[in-house]
Amino acid sequence: AYPLVLAFHGRGTTASWMARRTHLNSVADEHHFLVVYPDGYHEQWGDGRGHTPSERDGVDDVAFIATLIETLRTQLTIDARRIYATGISNGGFFSFRLGCLLADKIAAIAPVAATLPASLTAAPPAHRPVPLLLIHGTKDRRVPANGGVMRAGGHILSTTESAAFWARRNGCS
């Protein structure tokens, strides 16, 4: 059975952009895992900040990904214990959301250029730890490392607060 990486594009981009930008296909071939690049509703993911088209229009992106995972598991030889989520910017925020709400399906998350949307601090506790790799630059003008209210809408935690929240959520001292 193969590990599965779900790679989520950022706002205003597409799955094909994500595939070209990350080069994950060649990494997947070399390291023997599957990678899937879903497309978000109107080129965005319902990331928990409450300001995306899917959140405004009632599209349940979390349910979509849960269904996608189950569909892929019936069609491909996937190791259900090794399903990972990564994404950049809006896709990174969405990875955080999946780590909170689909902890029973997602083994670990790796958000890039994203921090934790403040609304997710109220997410129900997970039944098990979900490891986190958080990649974020201090000079990011769109997603401030110090957190706050974003120009695109929604309140986000800082990188330090995001890591601390996730450590507490995972029961780390």
Side-chain angles (χ1 to χ4, degrees):
Y2 293 97
L4 170 65
V5 173
L6 300 168
F8 299 99
H9 61 79
R11 178 179 133 202
T13 63
T14 63
S16 60
W17 176 91
M18 188 70 172
R20 285 190 313 274
R21 185 74 171 183
T22 63
H23 306 282
L24 277 173
N25 288 346
S26 59
V27 176
D29 289 345
E30 182 179 340
H31 294 283
H32 311 288
F33 65 88
L34 304 173
V35 61
V36 172
Y37 308 90
D39 265 319
Y41 179 73
H42 292 291
E43 297 182 344
Q44 291 187 50
W45 296 102
D47 61 20
R49 291 179 298 128
H51 293 274
T52 64
S54 62
E55 290 165 310
R56 285 193 304 268
D57 294 348
V59 175
D60 190 341
D61 285 336
V62 174
F64 165 63
I65 297 304
T67 301
L68 175 63
I69 289 169
E70 292 311 311
T71 301
L72 292 170
R73 286 182 62 201
T74 64
Q75 297 176 1
L76 303 169
T77 308
I78 293 172
D79 183 345
R81 295 166 296 134
R82 296 188 296 163
I83 299 173
Y84 307 99
T86 189
I88 188 164
S89 193
N90 167 248
F93 292 123
F94 188 54
S95 297
F96 268 119
R97 189 170 185 210
L98 294 175
C100 284
L101 302 180
L102 292 182
D104 60 326
K105 296 182 185 326
I106 302 292
I109 62 171
V112 178
T115 62
L116 186 76
S119 65
L120 293 178
T121 61
H127 299 294
R128 63 168 194 77
V130 176
L132 165 72
L133 170 64
L134 176 56
I135 302 170
H136 196 83
T138 57
K139 293 184 180 183
D140 189 324
R141 292 184 308 234
R142 290 196 174 116
V143 181
N146 291 330
V149 177
M150 293 185 56
R151 285 189 318 223
H155 184 262
I156 59 171
L157 301 186
S158 70
T159 53
T160 302
E161 292 167 329
S162 297
F165 169 84
W166 212 261
R168 284 190 308 274
R169 183 175 176 84
N170 282 342
C172 299
S173 59

